Structures are given as structure tokens and as C-alpha cells.
Amino acid sequence: MLRDEHGMTAYIDAMAFMVILMLALSALSDTYGFEEETGPNASEALDVISSSKVRLSDLTDMDDDAVVYLTDVLAYSVHTGDERPISYLEEILDKHCRGHPYSAKMEFGEENKEIGSGTEVRSGASGEFPVSSGGTIRITLSIGQRCPSCAPRSCP
């Protein structure tokens, strides 16, 4: 190890640089909020549902391979009682909510359909979406807080 004053100066400069760098990184994390995730957002889930497209033949009895919005197929499901589109929506919400309880209500014309369990709302959103066959479907989504006993490893 060098014992002249240039080596000591370089060492002190390096230490000062590291301290300044650590202060800058902590200021950035406070400013831009790199905090822990707060859970799923109902508005984001509703955006995904309303912008998703599916093939009619995958979720209905129709032999039509036309690609339509998921909201069209959900309106069809509410009107006819076909459960396949509702099951598909439940799969989407199960993955998005990652163990948080949810409830969704869909209204098309005079008919409506509810899925999920009633929950104390932590995040909620609703919207009306046009249906290609006419009318609109109103979807109201509520996401609750995960139960304290449900650890992240045991819930999807």
C-alpha cells in the first residue's frame, strides 16, 4: 500500500463520492416513489377487460372465428346465460387480483350478472362500454384488501 499523501487523498475522494452517490439514490427513491406495491388497481383491470379482444368461437357456441372485444362477449353472456365468458373473466380477475377478493357486476339492458364475493372496497371502478350488436354494458369492479392470514406465498 502506498504511504504518500496522494494515495490517502484518492481514498478520501472515493469515500466522499460514495457518500454523495448514496444520498442521491435515497433522494431519487423518495422523489419517484419506489415504495412497495399497494395491490391491484380496479381501474387498470377494467382497462384490460375493455381493451381485450377474443375469438367468438373460443368463448361461445358460435362457429364464427371473428375477433371481438371481450365486453361484447360478456354482454352476450349476460343476455344468454352462457357461463364460458364469465369463467374467462373470473380467470383474468383471479390473476390480476393476486389473492385479493373482488366482485364484479355486469349490466346489459335489463339483465345483470354478478361474480366474486362481496368485499370491503379498497379499489373500485366502473364504466360503460359500447357493444357491437347495440347498447352498452356497464361493468362495476371492486377489489378488496387481502385477508391478513393470507400470506403472499399461499395466495396467487
Side-chain angles (χ1 to χ4, degrees):
M1 184 157 105
L2 296 174
R3 294 195 177 243
D4 64 359
E5 59 186 61
H6 294 294
M8 185 56 96
T9 305
Y11 178 75
I12 291 174
D13 284 347
M15 293 301 288
F17 176 74
M18 288 183 359
V19 168
I20 291 170
L21 186 60
M22 287 184 354
L23 289 172
L25 288 175
S26 21
L28 276 175
S29 67
D30 288 341
T31 303
Y32 291 105
F34 298 125
E35 67 269 355
E36 188 175 313
E37 181 185 355
T38 58
N41 184 310
S43 180
E44 290 174 0
L46 207 53
D47 288 344
V48 168
I49 292 166
S50 67
S51 64
S52 295
K53 292 185 176 184
V54 296
R55 195 170 39 213
L56 276 175
S57 59
D58 289 342
L59 295 178
T60 66
D61 291 331
M62 297 179 205
D63 290 330
D64 191 353
D65 283 339
V67 176
V68 298
Y69 284 102
L70 179 57
T71 52
D72 288 344
V73 180
L74 291 173
Y76 163 82
S77 177
V78 169
H79 182 68
T80 63
D82 187 352
E83 290 295 319
R84 281 183 288 179
I86 299 298
S87 297
Y88 182 70
L89 177 62
E90 287 175 332
E91 287 178 27
I92 291 172
L93 291 173
D94 286 342
K95 289 179 182 175
H96 179 79
C97 293
R98 301 180 307 274
H100 291 261
Y102 64 85
S103 64
K105 181 177 182 180
M106 293 157 284
E107 302 169 48
F108 180 65
E110 296 296 318
E111 292 108 2
N112 61 52
K113 176 76 176 171
E114 291 187 48
I115 60 171
S117 58
T119 179
E120 183 177 324
V121 179
R122 184 192 59 75
S123 176
S126 65
E128 288 193 16
F129 307 99
V131 177
S132 61
S133 60
T136 60
I137 183 169
R138 179 172 185 76
I139 302 174
T140 304
L141 177 62
S142 301
I143 300 175
Q145 189 63 40
R146 187 185 323 211
C147 61
S149 63
C150 189
R153 291 189 184 125
S154 64
C155 290

